[in-house]
Amino acid sequence: MAQVSREDFTCAAATNASAYRRITVPVLKIDAGPGPAVALLAGVHGDEWEGQAAILQLWQLLPGVLQRGTVYLLPAANAEASLAGTRLSPSDHGNLNRAFLGAPARGYTESVAAALQARLLPRVQALVDVHSGGASLRYLPSSVITRYGDDAFDERLPALARAFGLPQCVFFRGGESGSLPAAASRLGVLRLSAEIGGGGETTHTLVARCRDGLLGCLAELGLLAGAPPRPASPTLHDLDAPAATLRARESGVFIPAVDLGQAVTAGQAIGQLIEPARPDQPARTLASLQTGTVVCLRAIARSDDGDCLLQVAPALSLDSLASLY
């Protein structure tokens, strides 16, 4: 029988209205004996709901099905942002996925990162970190493989991406040393991420796909009874390709002409920027910078200079992943 315990931690999150305010980050440890230790984590950004809901379901489910090893569940890694429904931490406006910067920790967000880096990452061999597009973006549901610095290729990654069970997988090279995957990389932790949904909303279907993907990863890592599922190999999309991200170069209302998952060609019209308050200003037609699949699309119509409007990624073979390392 698995042993269940709470390992919550608290961090100071002072505001002008509450000098000594503290926020508790919930952590559930499920220990089923010898085996790998795995962390399943969501809510790094508080407005990304699919992973938070899925891990909350596992909070109830996993103690009864875990057969070996240890699992740490963090449904709301940035609890303050989750409670507020915001991407960034309200007390210090920090981005937790850029806050793994080491000592000294300055403010709530870096304190959470420091606690995760000191108390969680050294205890696990694998990490699955679930994201979504949050309030401003929607993502084609995809597992995500990232490479940081001179990471060596880990032959377990393709199998883990397959086990998540989504038909799409995205690859890119991360350049932010303060991200959670970068911190895990420095400690040699096997890691997979996911981008599932967004738009500030969620659905039963997306939550179920996320939950089942996390269970698939645990099965692949040998923590559940029976043989792991063998889903079809996902299509790998190279988000690291040049010009994958199209950003607005002026303000306006974005009217997309493409959908998530749609194949587009270089030069194809993908939408317009209009300005209803300036009817004398002509619509600006936007074109895709390369051929590929639309994996990310802006969810908020009003856009400003520099906003991500969409991402188009060309397809690769998952079997060719090693060549990207």
Side-chain angles (χ1 to χ4, degrees):
M1 184 69 178
Q3 301 297 310
V4 180
S5 59
R6 292 288 294 268
E7 298 201 357
D8 305 350
F9 59 88
T10 60
C11 291
T15 67
N16 287 330
S18 184
Y20 302 129
R21 177 171 173 260
R22 299 185 70 84
I23 295 291
T24 297
V25 177
V27 183
L28 188 71
K29 177 183 179 183
I30 309 167
D31 187 351
V38 181
L40 305 181
L41 184 149
V44 166
H45 298 125
D47 62 350
E48 299 175 357
W49 301 115
E50 293 77 6
Q52 296 185 63
I55 293 179
L56 191 59
Q57 290 184 5
L58 293 181
W59 190 287
Q60 305 298 327
L61 173 67
L62 266 186
V65 300
L66 194 69
Q67 295 297 305
R68 61 188 295 264
T70 302
V71 175
Y72 296 88
L73 297 176
L74 289 83
N78 188 340
E80 185 191 44
S82 177
L83 289 167
T86 57
R87 178 178 180 84
L88 306 180
S89 309
S91 59
D92 61 8
H93 306 290
N95 180 349
L96 181 54
N97 211 26
R98 300 294 182 270
F100 290 80
L101 303 172
R106 298 159 295 182
Y108 163 80
T109 308
E110 288 187 20
S111 295
V112 174
L116 293 173
Q117 190 159 345
R119 298 174 55 177
L120 178 71
L121 294 182
R123 300 165 70 177
V124 302
Q125 290 80 57
L127 165 73
V128 185
D129 172 29
V130 183
H131 291 260
S132 80
S136 66
L137 301 168
R138 289 190 176 91
Y139 267 94
L140 186 66
S142 308
S143 54
V144 179
I145 293 173
T146 53
R147 185 185 185 193
Y148 283 84
D150 58 355
D151 278 353
F153 175 65
D154 192 317
E155 294 182 352
R156 297 171 294 174
L157 272 174
L160 204 59
R162 289 187 184 97
F164 205 97
L166 294 174
Q168 318 294 335
C169 181
V170 170
F171 169 82
F172 68 92
R173 292 175 177 84
E176 305 88 3
S177 61
S179 73
L180 175 59
S185 169
R186 291 192 289 269
L187 293 171
V189 176
L190 173 69
R191 65 197 184 279
L192 184 77
S193 297
E195 292 281 1
I196 301 178
E201 58 189 16
T202 189
T203 67
H204 171 82
T205 299
L206 287 177
V207 172
R209 295 179 78 180
C210 182
R211 179 201 63 219
D212 292 346
L214 294 169
L215 288 171
C217 289
L218 293 180
E220 177 64 32
L221 294 167
L223 277 68
L224 302 180
R230 295 296 177 192
S233 181
T235 300
L236 182 66
H237 299 279
D238 185 7
L239 199 54
D240 202 50
T245 300
L246 178 65
R247 302 183 191 278
R249 302 183 68 176
E250 54 190 327
S251 63
V253 175
F254 178 48
I255 311 296
V258 294
D259 298 315
L260 282 175
Q262 182 175 333
V264 299
T265 58
Q268 177 179 336
I270 54 84
Q272 291 184 324
L273 276 177
I274 63 171
E275 190 51 86
R278 302 286 185 270
D280 55 326
Q281 185 172 307
R284 286 85 80 199
T285 298
L286 306 173
S288 176
L289 301 176
Q290 64 185 3
T291 297
T293 298
V294 179
V295 298
C296 175
L297 195 60
R298 184 165 171 82
I300 299 176
R302 169 61 64 181
S303 304
D304 291 319
D305 182 19
D307 285 341
C308 170
L309 300 178
L310 84 170
Q311 292 178 313
V312 173
L316 300 167
S317 165
L318 191 63
D319 293 332
S320 68
L321 183 63
S323 67
L324 301 175
Y325 280 75

